[in-house]
Amino acid sequence: MRGPAQKRRGIRAQMAAGFGIFALCTLALLWVFQIFLLTPFYRAIKTREAGRISRQVVKELDSPELAPAAYALCAGTGASIFVSDELGREYVGYKYGFRESLAYDLTRRERAALFEEVNLMGGEYTRIFSDRLLLYAVTVRTGDGNHRLVVIETEITPLESTVETLTVQLLCLTLILLPLGIVLAVVISRRIARPIMEINESAKRLGGGDYSVRFEGRGPREVGGLAETLNFAADELSKTDGLRRELLANVSHDLRTPLTMIKGYAEVMRDLPGENTPENVQIIIDEAGRLNDLVNDLLDLSRLQAGVLELKRERFDLTESIREILTRYDKLADFKFPFEPKESVYVVADKLKISQVVYNLINNAVNYAGEDKTVALSQEVMGDHVRISVTDTGEGIPQDRLRDIWDRYYKVDREHRRAQIGTGLGLSIVKNVLDLHGGSYGVISELGKGSTFWFQLPIDKGEDDDNESETAE
Ligand code: ADP
């Protein structure tokens, strides 16, 4: 993993290269356009202008206004204008001021020869003489069938000195732009790369287990966002790590308590024959049962969270199964468990897992029950869903903890709570089982007054005696 990553170029080098290439491309384009293409551009523009003048002359060829029109064009544009017939006989000829004019000075024969040449070239012809004169000629047929040669001659400015000036300017520009680009690249890349490098350092520390590390999000917005996300991740990791440590402490404590009891009672029963009573054996069985429950909880949760647990969905009477569960609390003689459902409700779900949800909720309610030692259960049909609620009148849960209690290992009162009450896994199992079923769940609680934990499942309305035929979800 490391090798290729190290071979890759860093942000700085990449940005410097990017800026460098950008500056070079800009300069190269400037060179191409200003130096090499300036002359062709200029000549193309001049040729277009000559073409435009010639078209205006051609328009007037048949009219008596030809001479004044040509004169006006000559005066207006500074171009020499000349019109002759195919034999070189002059019709109109104007030149601007005292300017030298090739076309104007042509002999009649030369004009006739030019006519032929232009005709041969397809009726249009452009030529530049000594880099100073642009001769544009066309041959046309007038309305009465006669041939005419129209010659437009314009002066073109020699561009050498301009090009030379531009070359020097561009050289200066290159000398300024290149180092400027590199300096800018270094400055900007440092602004971007520095915070990323810092974040990388912090991330390494986080990876090494230092959850107190903070990520500084200086520089661009995205880096700020990254730092924020990483800070959040670090907080979560640290929270989970804290809970994990606590669980380890809890679990070892919870495992040790029943084990000590079992060992103690077994030893007493071995050494003192009189102690070999059914009551003592029952204590050993109960403690072993608690151990078993704890280990099962842990296994269940890890299986639920690893997503390997498959639900064994079946259609069953939820009301009846809650009644069954309640019979097992009979031995808690001083507790009352009122449950008065109006009807039997069927659901399609994993019976064992849903029973576990109900167990966990009742167990919590028993553990945190109030003076009245009552855990009230209720079943409400709400449209196509059934809601089961477990209510106690115990100490309640502070509002700001209501969200956390569903987290794994979470216990509201960590310091001096009866350790035997639980591991903080119960509600996490409830949450995972209901999530897997797509059911909803929640808690309403008021400090000092008690809590109501509820969950909802879709009702299966199939025939009551019909098994696993329909799925409600
Ligand atoms: P535990 O095994 O500790 O009961 P749970 O995940 O079942 O773990 O519950 C998490 C925490 O939520 C408990 O430690 C307790 O602080 C709080 N809690 C759960 N049920 C109740 C309840 N009925 N009344 C008051 N607090 C409760």
Side-chain angles (χ1 to χ4, degrees):
M1 287 291 279
R2 280 206 107 120
Q6 273 174 349
K7 260 187 224 150
R8 273 192 244 154
R9 280 187 294 147
I11 289 186
R12 281 197 203 176
Q14 287 197 15
M15 286 198 68
F19 268 92
I21 291 171
F22 177 70
L24 280 179
C25 286
T26 313
L27 289 170
L29 277 177
L30 273 176
W31 276 89
V32 169
F33 275 93
Q34 298 288 63
I35 312 289
F36 302 118
L37 294 181
L38 189 61
T39 309
F41 272 2
Y42 176 64
R43 288 186 179 171
I45 289 168
K46 279 303 218 185
T47 311
R48 276 235 309 267
E49 188 187 305
R52 194 170 41 80
I53 299 172
S54 86
R55 278 195 296 282
Q56 271 167 304
V57 173
V58 167
K59 242 198 284 174
E60 303 292 341
L61 273 185
D62 284 331
S63 108
E65 297 297 310
L66 175 64
Y71 179 77
L73 276 169
C74 170
T77 62
S80 301
I81 298 171
F82 198 89
V83 181
S84 71
D85 64 9
E86 73 267 42
L87 298 175
R89 281 179 304 210
E90 174 184 338
Y91 276 82
V92 172
Y94 290 109
K95 73 169 181 172
Y96 189 76
F98 298 107
R99 215 176 256 176
E100 101 184 87
S101 169
L102 212 68
Y104 199 76
D105 295 337
L106 290 178
T107 63
R108 190 175 148 183
R109 191 173 296 157
E110 283 168 331
R111 277 182 222 131
L114 180 61
F115 181 91
E116 286 306 315
E117 200 178 340
V118 175
N119 247 355
L120 273 179
M121 306 274 293
E124 189 181 1
Y125 160 111
T126 315
R127 182 162 291 175
I128 285 157
F129 292 96
S130 15
D131 274 348
R132 283 189 306 109
L133 285 177
L134 181 133
L135 200 86
Y136 178 84
V138 285
T139 55
V140 281
R141 210 180 242 270
T142 58
D144 47 14
N146 292 316
H147 292 282
R148 292 284 180 271
L149 169 71
V150 177
V151 181
I152 311 294
E153 185 190 86
T154 59
E155 260 193 339
I156 52 177
T157 322
L159 292 178
E160 280 87 28
S161 58
T162 317
V163 169
E164 215 164 284
T165 318
L166 283 175
T167 311
V168 175
Q169 278 192 346
L170 276 182
L171 262 177
C172 295
L173 258 181
T174 311
L175 289 180
I176 297 171
L177 266 187
L178 263 187
L180 193 75
I182 291 171
V183 169
L184 259 181
V186 170
V187 171
I188 294 182
S189 64
R190 190 170 290 173
R191 285 202 54 191
I192 296 177
R194 171 92 46 89
I196 293 185
M197 278 144 68
E198 283 171 7
I199 286 183
N200 192 23
E201 282 310 309
S202 305
K204 279 186 196 153
R205 279 174 50 203
L206 179 66
D210 177 0
Y211 300 122
S212 64
V213 66
R214 288 285 93 188
F215 293 89
E216 298 288 340
R218 293 185 293 121
R221 184 161 36 99
E222 286 80 1
V223 177
L226 176 65
E228 233 169 73
T229 312
L230 285 170
N231 277 332
F232 176 70
D235 286 346
E236 288 297 301
L237 274 176
S238 130
K239 211 165 99 186
T240 312
D241 191 56
L243 291 173
R244 187 184 56 83
R245 279 168 210 265
E246 212 164 287
L247 170 85
L248 217 62
N250 285 346
V251 167
S252 25
H253 180 272
D254 290 359
L255 287 176
R256 207 171 317 123
T257 317
L259 275 178
T260 315
M261 297 270 277
I262 292 171
K263 189 160 173 258
Y265 273 86
E267 279 170 1
V268 167
M269 283 158 67
R270 179 195 62 202
D271 300 340
L272 307 172
E275 288 295 324
N276 207 336
T277 60
E279 291 79 31
N280 284 351
V281 175
Q282 190 56 45
I283 288 176
I284 291 183
I285 293 173
D286 287 348
E287 292 302 316
R290 270 184 55 195
L291 269 182
N292 199 32
D293 287 348
L294 176 64
V295 172
N296 280 344
D297 270 8
L298 284 168
L299 281 179
D300 271 347
L301 193 65
S302 51
R303 255 185 264 142
L304 278 169
Q305 292 196 330
V308 293
L309 193 115
E310 271 193 26
L311 292 182
K312 294 191 198 69
R313 285 180 202 267
E314 60 180 313
R315 186 166 187 277
F316 68 93
D317 184 340
L318 178 67
T319 320
E320 188 49 43
S321 77
I322 294 176
R323 276 210 195 91
E324 254 170 50
I325 292 170
L326 284 177
T327 57
R328 312 214 194 142
Y329 286 90
D330 283 349
K331 58 181 176 193
L332 289 181
D334 46 346
F335 268 88
K336 286 192 287 295
F337 297 93
F339 179 50
E340 278 147 18
K342 292 196 192 75
E343 61 198 299
S344 276
V345 170
Y346 281 77
V347 293
V348 172
D350 188 320
K351 188 172 177 184
L352 212 71
K353 293 282 156 238
I354 294 298
S355 306
Q356 199 179 359
V357 166
V358 178
Y359 259 123
N360 285 352
L361 294 183
I362 299 180
N363 279 343
N364 278 349
V366 168
N367 287 333
Y368 300 97
E371 294 294 307
D372 63 354
K373 301 213 161 176
T374 302
V375 173
L377 281 92
S378 79
Q379 170 190 296
E380 274 169 274
V381 174
M382 309 168 93
D384 49 2
H385 281 68
V386 57
R387 179 190 279 229
I388 303 294
S389 312
V390 180
T391 305
D392 65 70
T393 52
E395 60 199 62
I397 303 163
Q399 293 298 315
D400 57 337
R401 304 293 169 84
L402 284 181
R403 261 183 47 193
D404 298 328
I405 53 171
W406 305 94
D407 282 353
R408 157 178 64 142
Y409 317 147
Y410 189 85
K411 295 170 101 177
V412 173
D413 189 355
R414 293 156 189 233
E415 288 90 34
H416 42 272
R417 211 37 216 190
R418 307 150 261 189
Q420 69 272 24
I421 281 182
T423 48
L425 295 178
L427 287 180
S428 186
I429 292 175
V430 169
K431 166 180 159 30
N432 278 285
V433 168
L434 289 170
D435 280 344
L436 271 183
H437 279 86
S440 47
Y441 48 88
V443 55
I444 305 156
S445 186
E446 204 177 322
L447 260 187
K449 297 222 168 133
S451 321
T452 297
F453 281 82
W454 60 266
F455 69 91
Q456 257 174 233
L457 287 174
I459 298 176
D460 187 79
K461 292 234 167 70
E463 289 303 308
D464 285 5
D465 53 358
D466 181 9
N467 287 330
E468 58 194 317
S469 60
E470 285 173 50
T471 42
E473 281 171 61

